[in-house]
Structure formats: structure tokens, C-alpha cells
Amino acid sequence: MSVTQRSNIITALCLALAATPALAQSGPGTKQKTGPAATQPLRIDDDGRVLGWALCPVDPLANLVTKDTGAPAEGPTTYTADTAESSPEQARLAGDVRIARGDQRLAAPEVVLDRQKNIVHAPKGVQAGTPALGVEAGTGDMNLDTDTADLRDARYYLPQRNAQGSAGRVVDRRQDQKTDLDEATYSTCQRDAEVWRVRATEMHLDHAAGRGEAWHAKIDIEGVPVLYLPYLSFPLNNDRQSGFLAPKLGFDSTSGLDLAVPYYWNIAPNYDATITPRYIAERGLLLGTEFRFLTGDAKGITSFEFLPNDRDRDGRDRGSFHFFGSGHYGPFSSTLLYDWASDDNYFRDLGNGLDITDTDYLERRLDTYVVNPFGNLLIRFRGYQTLNGEDFTRPKQYAQLPQVAFWNTWIVPNQVSFELHSEATRFTHPDQVEGSRFFIEPALSLPLQTTWGFLTPRLALNATAYQLDYRRDQPDDYRDSPTRVAPVASLDTGLIFDRPLTISGTGFTQTLEPRLYYLRVPYRRQTDIPLFDTTTYSESYDWLFYDNRFAGIDRLGDANQLTTAISSRLLGASDGVERLRVSVGQIQYFSDRKVQLGADSPTLTNNSDLVAEATLRLDQNWYARAATLWDTTESGSRRTAYDLRYHDADGRILNVAYRYANGVPDPISGQTSLEQIDLAGHWPINPRWRVFGRYNYSLLYSHTTDTFAGFEYGDCCWAVRLLGRQYREYPQDEDPKNAVMLEIELKGLTSVGAGIDRFLDKSIIGYQRAD
């Protein structure tokens, strides 16, 4: 038998079932295999198995899989046998026949070559292995002229998927790159103890096209058929493939059963779309579409949903639209965002109860940036759609049509820094005063810094001019062209002291960092200037050092004040990691503040709230934070927050938080009055079980605002996740809503139900989705 003939034998046998991994995507619902960013996870445990299946025992055929050494497949072929016989009609090798070529191996008790028909026959069984496949068959025939292999009673193992199965017959036509299988099975469970298994009477695999087809496919659970599909099309590789994705199944107390079945359409290498019919029992049939594109200079995504005749909203047609795109063209870069909803309650009604998006304002924005050596230029067009609450009306926002801004910083001789910020904006509103605003602020500063301290004097000139259009009642102090010009002077200085410190035998460096910040801004009357886009800042430690107490240009706060602050840090002596930081600061006012968001009226307090913050990191798992605003006049807290977090490398998470706000907007929720306790956690009990949940209780309203609990059980080849939730859309709501979601995953095949991991990702700080 020639070396060439033996090369064909091992190639035919080792590659005959190479297409069988396609069964792992039996159904294009396998999410790793669809979408432009789809990748195949390759996290491998010590036994060479994907971590997701690390609970599975090693398959009996795993020892046939060879190591990937990178050896060329066209290399020399070696073979051994106990005996060899040859005649003009046939050649026969017997007794522990072994053939090797590159990373491919073949073993058989006996191999016979029919020289007349040029067919190799393995009558007593054959075993073959490659880095991607282990297979054994009862008998095998290989036609060396047509490069076709015909295997009977075959079993296979796929290490990358920890998948195994069998086929009554496998016919592989290497020249056509096609494989046919009869009576085939596939599962990622333990062999002969399958929790689930796919059976198909016929399969056709087209390797060139990257597609597979199955006829009369059945999915068995514990040996009981639960789903029959007369025809199934599925991908064979990691390339994006059109087909149905995993269905999403949920339930909430308002909408009832919620079932979505997405279909993924691979239009082109840089274009794709997802079409999602969604049945909502109490509302009707919703159709959603999503289209994505990617070119050399631009990328974007657009989505649209439409629900005709919503039965729960008096037969009203409802829908939403979203577009986001960005592009780069030389020095220009642009982003376009546009959101629209048919009504105020769209997102609350048509969320799935687990991932509600309560958006106050839907933004429409076109930004164009120009970056060049002279500075940064922004041209912006922005507007909003306001979504009102069921029991209140939100104020409409001004549109900016357009806004043109230029800013830059230059370092001039003697380390002097020159800054320039300028802006011209046209504001429009359906029922409020409109107008144009022109703003420019040049500034000079001299940053002086050493290892033991810093000193930064800064002088700026804030100049603003308006051209207003009052279309209705004009105020008494009406001016159609108000202006405001004021100098802004500040001096920021601080010292840094440090000393070595030993605590329980561990070395640290402790710092003491006092800081003074003086700000002087003269009073300018501004009551004739409307509020286009200006509000107040949320008070924090950083707020103590702002040069304007208002966020926005329409108000410039008058100031004659001195911030006194001090911080102390504890750093690890060996690694420099910050373990503890404590900061305390307060503003002392030397004159009354007159400028307000409404009518000017002096604020008579001599001091700001005392701001205190502390963070503590005991080790890499424990983190604690505390912050408070203390009213020194009333001797009481106006805002308090405590956080304690635990997060280890095994995914154990515990978050405990307390929030209190009285007349001061909370930076997380934005509410001016609240008192709540928030407990959240995710805890793997063992490799198979994990539990998760959250308890958010409002002490102000004496009821829960968001509570959920759930668990996951994951075995070798399957997992089930169950989550129940009770929530209120607004903390003051009397009646809560309920939602339940069930997700079942057949690992390596598909899952039914979706969204739990994504929901936990948003609801539990520190949680990260497995995918």
C-alpha cells in the first residue's frame, strides 16, 4: 500500500465526521453563533473542557482527541501493523494497525485494500482522532478514487463543545465538501445518561456554504420527546448565519404571557438585521426590527417596534423608534441619535417586567466634532421628546438648534496656561421664551506643583450676551438683549504631608492633605436672563472646588468664599494601593449669595453644609463608603449614604446600602426626599447552585419599591433560571406589579427564555454576565 493511499485513508476517516460539530448549533438559536460580534468561548479547564461543561465527566472517546501541535496535514504518513499481506487483488494489514499523519491518528484491528476498486475496508472497527474530534465506527469503507468515506455505527466526541453523539451511517464526500448522516444524535450531556438529546433521521452538511440541514428532528428531555421539527437549518461554524434565535419568555401581572421569537438575518458581512415577532397575551402581537451596519468610516444601529390595536390601551396603535450612528471622516467625527415613542407609557407598558426603561426624556441629537491643532469645535443640534408620568407632567426641555462651541488650552511661556471656552446657541421651546446665547470665557492660570504641594492662581472673564424673543407675556424687567460680564478669580492651594505607619505589623504610608480654595465672583443682576439649560449641582466633595455653583451658563453665582478642606489617605507601603481615604470640607461665605435660579434673593448662611466622605478597602473583596451633607445651622443631616460591598473572584456579591435625602437631590435616584434600604446579592452556593436577589425598601413610604429573588441550577449540560419580581414604577405608587421569568438552557444547543443575566447586570452592582 502506498504512502499516498494511506494518506487518503487517514484523511477520510479523521475528517469524515469533522462536520458533526454543527449539531452543537442545532438550531440557529444558539446565541454564540449569530450576530456580528459572535465569538466562541474558549475558556478551558485542566481536563481540556470548556468551563461551562466542567461538571461533566470525561467522555470515553476523549482519549482519541490529539493535541494540536501545528504539524502540517500534508506531512509524511507513518504506519505500523503486526502483519502485512499483499497480492495483485488486495493488500491486508492486521494486528494493531496504527496510522499517523500530522495531528491525525487512526487505529484499527484490520485494514483491507481492494486494488481493483481502489477501496479500503475496515471490517472490524476503526478509531480516529484529530485535535477537534474523536470517533469510532463499527465498520468503514473509503473510496480512494472519489475520496468518499462510508462509516457505519459511528460514535463521536467533540472537545470544544464537550459534545457527543452517534450516527447509524456517515457518508462523507470530501471533494464536494458535503456530509450526509442517517439516524444521528447530538448532546452535550454525559454519554448514555443524557438529560437532553437531539435525534434526526437525516442530516445534510454543506461545509462550503457553512450550513446544515436536518429532517425529522426531535429534542428529547430525559428520553421523552418534547419537540418535533420536520425541518431544521443551522450553522456549521462561527460565521454569522441567518436563522431563529433563542425565544424569550416572560410573564407580568399587567401584560400576562410575553413570548418573543427573534429571527436573525445575515444580510452581508457588514450588515445584519433581527426581526422579532412578540406575542403579549393581554395586548396583542408586536413586531420589532433591528438593523446594524458597519463600514470603514461609520457604524450604527436602528430599531423599530410596532404594536397595532393594543387591547389594554383601548385599541391604540403604539410603537417606538431608535437610531444611533457614528462616523469618522478625516478631522471630522459625527454622531446621530434619535429616539421616539408613540406615548408616555410605552416603555413602562412594554418592558418585560424585568428590564423596564423609565426614560424621562428621549433625546434627538446630531453632533459634529472637528479636532485640529487650533482647538476643538463642536456643532450640535439637539431636542427632546418628553415622556410624562401617569400622575404628573414633566417640564419640556429647550431644543438647541444649533449649538456651536469652541474650546482649547494652550501652554504659553513661563508655564502659564491659557484657556478659551466659547459657545453660540439658539434655543427653541413650544411655549416659553426663545432666544440666542453667546458666551466666551478666556482664562489664565499658573499651575505650580511640587512633591509636597501645589498652588494654582486663575483669572477668567465670563462674558454672556442674549438675543431673546418673548412671544407671550413679557416680564416687568424685560430686556430683549441682556448681557453679563464678570471676572472670576480663584486661588487653589494645598500641602501634602506623609509619614510611615505600621498597623498590626503591616507597613503603610499615611498622608495629610490640607487644601484651601478661594473664589471671588462679583454680583451681577441676572433675573432678566431665562433658564435655557441651567440647574444646580448635586453637592459633593468635588463641588466644594467648583468655580460656579450652577451647572450651565445662564447663571453665574456671585461668590466671595473660602473652601477649607482636608483629606487623609492610607496607602500600602509595598504596593501603593489606597486602602483608606477620609475627606472633610466646608465653604465659608464672606458675603451673602444673591444670584438664584429664580428671583435674586440673598442667602444669609455663613457656611455651606459640611461635606464628609470616606472610603475603605479592607482587601480586594471588601469595599465600604460613607458620605454625608451635614447642616451645621440645623445640626442635622440633609443627605446621607452608606455603602458596604463584598465581591470576590468566584462571583459572590453582597451589597448593602442606606440612602437618605431631605430637600437635596440624591445623586443616584435624583429624588429630593427619600429614605431607603437596599440589599442585593449574588451567591454561588456550589458549582451547580447560585441564588440572587434584591430588597429595596422605602422608609419614607413604608413599602418595598423593588424586590426580586431567584436561583439558577446548572448541571453538566443544562441549566434553569427562575426569577420573580415585585416592583413599583414610582416609589409613591400604592399598588405594585409582579413579574416572573423562567429561562431554560440546553448548553451547546439553545435556551428558552432570556434576559435574566442582563437584568442582574443592571440591578446588582458588580455583577457581570457570563457571556
Side-chain angles (χ1 to χ4, degrees):
M1 184 179 298
S2 68
V3 171
T4 301
Q5 290 172 329
R6 294 184 181 278
S7 299
N8 288 338
I9 291 175
I10 189 170
T11 299
L13 281 174
C14 290
L15 298 182
L17 294 181
T20 313
L23 291 173
Q25 301 103 42
S26 177
T30 304
K31 63 182 178 181
Q32 293 100 332
K33 293 302 177 183
T34 56
T39 57
Q40 172 63 29
L42 293 177
R43 296 179 298 152
I44 308 299
D45 66 6
D46 294 336
D47 295 320
R49 289 166 293 164
V50 176
L51 287 179
W53 293 292
L55 297 173
C56 297
V58 177
D59 191 84
L61 300 184
N63 62 337
L64 299 179
V65 177
T66 63
K67 291 186 177 181
D68 188 356
T69 63
E74 297 79 11
T77 300
T78 62
Y79 59 92
T80 61
D82 293 339
T83 63
E85 299 177 359
S86 180
S87 69
E89 290 77 21
Q90 70 176 21
R92 179 177 177 271
L93 296 177
D96 195 19
V97 180
R98 297 184 180 273
I99 306 174
R101 186 187 188 193
D103 291 334
Q104 302 173 348
R105 300 291 183 271
L106 183 147
E110 181 179 344
V111 171
V112 178
L113 170 63
D114 186 330
R115 294 184 179 275
Q116 304 298 323
K117 298 180 180 179
N118 211 18
I119 294 177
V120 175
H121 180 54
K124 299 181 180 180
V126 62
Q127 293 182 333
T130 71
L133 172 68
V135 62
E136 67 177 11
T139 62
D141 294 314
M142 285 68 69
N143 189 314
L144 303 182
D145 292 333
T146 61
D147 200 9
T148 301
D150 189 345
L151 305 178
R152 305 277 182 158
D153 299 324
R155 301 196 307 164
Y156 63 87
Y157 172 70
L158 311 171
Q160 290 291 337
R161 291 282 191 173
N162 195 57
Q164 52 80 20
S166 62
R169 182 184 182 188
V170 177
V171 178
D172 183 67
R173 303 184 298 277
R174 300 305 305 167
Q175 292 181 352
D176 298 334
Q177 300 187 57
K178 295 180 180 179
T179 305
D180 295 321
L181 299 90
D182 295 336
E183 302 300 331
T185 69
Y186 168 83
S187 179
T188 58
C189 299
Q190 179 182 355
R191 191 182 296 273
D192 300 325
E194 291 89 348
V195 176
W196 66 269
R197 181 177 62 176
V198 175
R199 295 181 292 124
T201 57
E202 297 180 32
M203 287 189 184
H204 172 71
L205 311 179
D206 189 332
H207 309 287
R211 296 299 301 172
E213 298 174 300
W215 287 266
H216 303 292
K218 300 176 182 177
I219 298 178
D220 295 347
I221 304 295
E222 293 289 353
V224 178
V226 296
L227 180 63
Y228 168 77
L229 296 172
Y231 172 79
L232 182 65
S233 177
F234 50 89
L236 300 182
N237 49 38
N238 284 345
D239 296 340
R240 298 177 301 138
Q241 300 287 344
S242 300
F244 285 99
L245 306 180
K248 300 178 182 180
L249 180 65
F251 176 86
D252 69 48
S253 56
T254 301
S255 298
L257 178 68
D258 191 338
L259 174 64
V261 183
Y263 179 84
Y264 176 77
W265 181 17
N266 180 30
I267 303 172
N270 58 332
Y271 298 95
D272 65 13
T274 303
I275 304 169
T276 307
R278 179 181 170 192
Y279 174 72
I280 307 172
E282 300 300 323
R283 299 185 182 275
L285 181 63
L286 180 149
L287 180 63
T289 62
E290 179 184 88
F291 173 76
R292 298 186 295 179
F293 66 90
L294 176 65
T295 66
D297 298 319
K299 62 180 179 180
I301 180 172
T302 181
S303 59
F304 175 74
E305 291 183 343
F306 179 66
L307 173 62
N309 304 318
D310 186 346
R311 293 192 294 267
D312 196 51
R313 289 286 180 176
D314 300 323
R316 179 178 179 181
D317 293 343
R318 311 179 73 189
S320 67
F321 177 81
H322 167 78
F323 176 85
F324 178 81
S326 62
H328 301 272
Y329 314 95
F332 299 91
S333 62
S334 295
T335 59
L336 175 61
L337 171 66
Y338 189 93
D339 281 314
W340 169 84
S342 59
D343 55 89
D344 295 334
N345 299 307
Y346 184 85
F347 296 105
R348 289 188 293 272
D349 287 349
L350 296 173
N352 60 14
L354 295 177
D355 191 15
I356 286 182
T357 302
D358 184 16
T359 305
D360 296 344
Y361 299 97
L362 301 183
E363 188 178 8
R364 294 87 182 266
R365 171 171 48 85
L366 172 60
D367 289 347
T368 300
Y369 293 90
V370 183
V371 180
N372 57 77
F374 303 101
N376 305 283
L377 177 66
L378 167 66
I379 303 173
R380 167 175 291 170
F381 297 83
R382 179 164 60 181
Y384 300 91
Q385 178 186 356
T386 303
L387 301 185
N388 295 310
E390 293 186 339
D391 300 322
F392 57 87
T393 300
R394 296 185 176 97
K396 291 182 171 61
Q397 299 293 310
Y398 274 93
Q400 301 168 358
L401 302 172
Q403 176 188 25
V404 180
F406 175 85
W407 68 97
N408 202 9
T409 300
W410 298 268
I411 304 299
V412 296
N414 299 319
Q415 298 302 308
V416 175
S417 176
F418 175 67
E419 308 164 40
L420 179 64
H421 181 198
S422 59
E423 177 185 310
T425 309
R426 174 66 182 178
F427 293 96
T428 63
H429 197 281
D431 46 33
Q432 297 290 335
V433 58
E434 299 183 332
S436 299
R437 184 181 67 196
F438 306 92
F439 167 77
I440 186 169
E441 185 181 61
L444 289 173
S445 62
L446 180 61
L448 303 174
Q449 189 167 2
T450 68
T451 58
W452 47 266
F454 65 90
L455 175 68
T456 305
R458 184 177 185 271
L459 179 63
L461 184 66
N462 184 298
T464 310
Y466 292 82
Q467 186 65 45
L468 304 179
D469 179 16
Y470 285 93
R471 296 177 299 175
R472 293 180 174 85
D473 295 337
Q474 298 178 0
D476 295 337
D477 55 357
Y478 165 76
R479 287 192 299 166
D480 60 359
S481 301
T483 60
R484 181 195 65 219
V485 179
V488 179
S490 64
L491 180 65
D492 193 5
T493 182
L495 297 174
I496 303 174
F497 303 97
D498 63 75
R499 64 165 184 168
L501 182 66
T502 301
I503 302 177
S504 300
T506 303
F508 296 94
T509 298
Q510 183 187 16
T511 71
L512 189 65
E513 304 172 35
R515 183 177 177 183
L516 296 175
Y517 178 75
Y518 177 75
L519 177 65
R520 181 71 173 96
V521 182
Y523 168 73
R524 295 292 186 266
R525 176 176 171 271
Q526 301 168 52
T527 56
D528 56 349
I529 296 177
L531 295 174
F532 289 135
D533 59 358
T534 299
T535 184
T536 56
Y537 283 109
S538 176
E539 297 178 36
S540 65
Y541 186 75
D542 292 336
W543 166 82
L544 297 173
F545 308 97
Y546 291 167
D547 61 4
N548 188 6
R549 62 179 179 270
F550 300 104
I553 297 175
D554 300 316
R555 291 292 183 273
L556 177 63
D558 54 319
N560 183 13
Q561 62 190 51
L562 176 67
T563 296
T564 304
I566 189 168
S567 296
S568 180
R569 295 183 295 155
L570 199 63
L571 310 174
S574 59
D575 54 17
V577 175
E578 183 177 287
R579 305 297 177 85
L580 173 67
R581 177 193 289 263
V582 179
S583 302
V584 181
Q586 188 179 38
I587 301 175
Q588 180 180 359
Y589 300 111
F590 301 118
S591 61
D592 298 336
R593 282 90 58 224
K594 299 179 182 179
V595 178
Q596 307 294 333
L597 289 180
D600 287 355
S601 59
T603 302
L604 303 178
T605 57
N606 296 323
N607 300 290
S608 71
D609 292 335
L610 185 70
V611 181
E613 295 181 357
T615 58
L616 173 65
R617 187 172 291 279
L618 297 174
D619 54 32
Q620 62 180 357
N621 298 330
W622 284 100
Y623 169 85
R625 178 182 179 274
T628 186
L629 293 180
W630 186 265
D631 188 336
T632 56
T633 303
E634 300 293 335
S635 298
S637 174
R638 295 210 299 148
R639 192 176 72 216
T640 301
Y642 300 108
D643 291 276
L644 178 64
R645 302 175 190 172
Y646 175 84
H647 187 188
D648 65 16
D650 295 325
R652 297 181 180 90
I653 300 172
L654 179 63
N655 299 325
V656 181
Y658 170 80
R659 301 259 186 271
Y660 170 81
N662 182 16
V664 181
D666 179 73
I668 295 178
S669 66
Q671 300 176 48
T672 56
S673 295
L674 66 85
E675 187 175 11
Q676 62 184 23
I677 299 172
D678 195 357
L679 307 177
H682 170 269
W683 207 263
I685 300 175
N686 56 42
R688 288 179 169 83
W689 286 93
R690 64 168 175 152
V691 295
F692 40 79
R694 182 183 183 188
Y695 178 79
N696 188 288
Y697 184 82
S698 173
L699 298 170
L700 185 64
Y701 295 102
S702 300
H703 58 221
T704 59
T705 59
D706 192 358
T707 301
F708 65 82
F711 71 89
E712 174 183 322
Y713 174 81
D715 208 335
C716 163
C717 59
W718 70 285
V720 59
R721 304 176 186 94
L722 179 65
L723 186 148
R725 183 188 185 201
Q726 184 180 86
Y727 62 98
R728 288 173 168 84
E729 294 174 356
Y730 302 104
Q732 63 270 24
D733 288 351
E734 290 292 333
D735 298 324
K737 293 185 177 181
N738 300 308
V740 177
M741 176 167 279
L742 175 66
E743 185 174 357
I744 300 175
E745 178 186 2
L746 306 182
K747 298 181 181 180
L749 181 65
T750 188
S751 62
V752 178
I756 292 181
D757 271 352
R758 182 171 287 102
F759 173 73
L760 297 179
D761 191 34
K762 294 181 178 181
S763 303
I764 300 177
I765 297 175
Y767 179 83
Q768 292 183 344
R769 288 184 287 160
D771 57 352

